[in-house]
Amino acid sequence: MAKIVLNKYNYFHNLKIVSEHAGSKEKIAVVLKDNAYGHGLIEIATLANEFGITKAVVRTVAEAQQIKHLFEKILILSDNNLSTYSHSFHIVINRYEDIAKLPKNTNVHLKIDTGMHRNGISINSIEEAIYSIYEAKLNLTGIMTHYRSADELTCEFFWQRSVFRDIKKVVTALCEKLFLPIPAFHSSNSSGLFRFKNFDEDIARVGIAQYGYTENHSLLLNPNLKPVMSLWANKIASQDVKTNQKIGYGGSYIVKKDMKISTYDIGYGDGFLRLNEKHKYTTPKGYEILGRVSMDYVSINSTDEMICIFEDVTELAKLNDTISYEITTTLNPNIKKEIQS
Ligand SMILES: *Cc1c(COP(=O)(O)O)cnc(C)c1O
């Protein structure tokens, strides 16, 4: 069976780097949505807790339920169907109508659209929204926004950041007027965190950096992160192939000289994105994936019992014309996880 190995040393290394950059462990909320970007929700949540992280971010209430014993605060990004609730849950309000749906005393973070035009209420309706939250007797525990270009070389990031700073002043004044506690303010994802020094917000929502990646390194304050996940596959069968024989679907790989090859048990059915004759990939040990990736198999010029498919997805992301996030997140949650400490 193929497996994912999680390198605990690298994970702790990354958490140390992000915590130091943010100022403390308390300022880090680890983003664990989508099965912790394919790394395993429970496995990563348990490690983060062991390191001393107290906050997490997920997409759904069901995810929050699974990890509620491990964190003091869990931010739920896009699910307000509170079939179950815990006082550690904080629900993101993505639109004005959400306010009326939530039961009294629910902890909420109000999301403000500062330019991404995805979710959140508009800047003009902040005051109205806070009054409605107050009247609905919800606990306003956070104010948040999300950057549209934290990892791109433009000044847009700094512009959005300054808009959010102005919002902070307005909200603080309003909360004082209403005798409400000042909520936590947060805007940064991984690349937002590494775009500047002297982090001055209450929380950074760190996703990809904890797993060892960032996009567009050159823009960021050299975080020196280490990939946490490696993917391993097991040999199914070996055989000798002769010059000019063809391997796999479409016979797209033509053997150049007699050699021994094997099939291994990983394929696009496991969420390992399909490679083909146009996208040639070599494993960390220098073996080549021969021809097309099948649903459950790859052919490789090796006879090793187990093979490391990747220990860093940067190259694969480039080949697939995508980002590191997609390579790890698409991996099937059923692939078993092993923690290497
Ligand atoms: C996914 C997500 C993050 C984490 O982003 P990374 O780039 O992986 O650090 C932060 N905030 C929100 C709202 C998200 O949806």
Side-chain angles (χ1 to χ4, degrees), residues 2-15:
K3 66 176 179 187
I4 285 170
V5 176
L6 302 170
N7 185 316
K8 180 173 166 179
Y9 172 85
N10 287 0
Y11 188 58
F12 279 19
H13 167 89
N14 299 338
L15 288 181

Side-chain angles (χ1 to χ4, degrees), residues 103-135:
K104 246 186 356 193
N105 296 322
T106 309
N107 297 320
V108 295
H109 284 218
L110 179 62
K111 187 160 194 178
I112 318 280
D113 177 15
T114 54
M116 189 169 187
H117 302 313
R118 201 172 61 171
N119 304 323
I121 62 154
S122 73
I123 294 176
N124 303 334
S125 34
I126 295 178
E127 203 159 318
E128 193 186 353
I130 291 183
Y131 273 112
S132 301
I133 288 170
Y134 177 71
E135 278 157 17

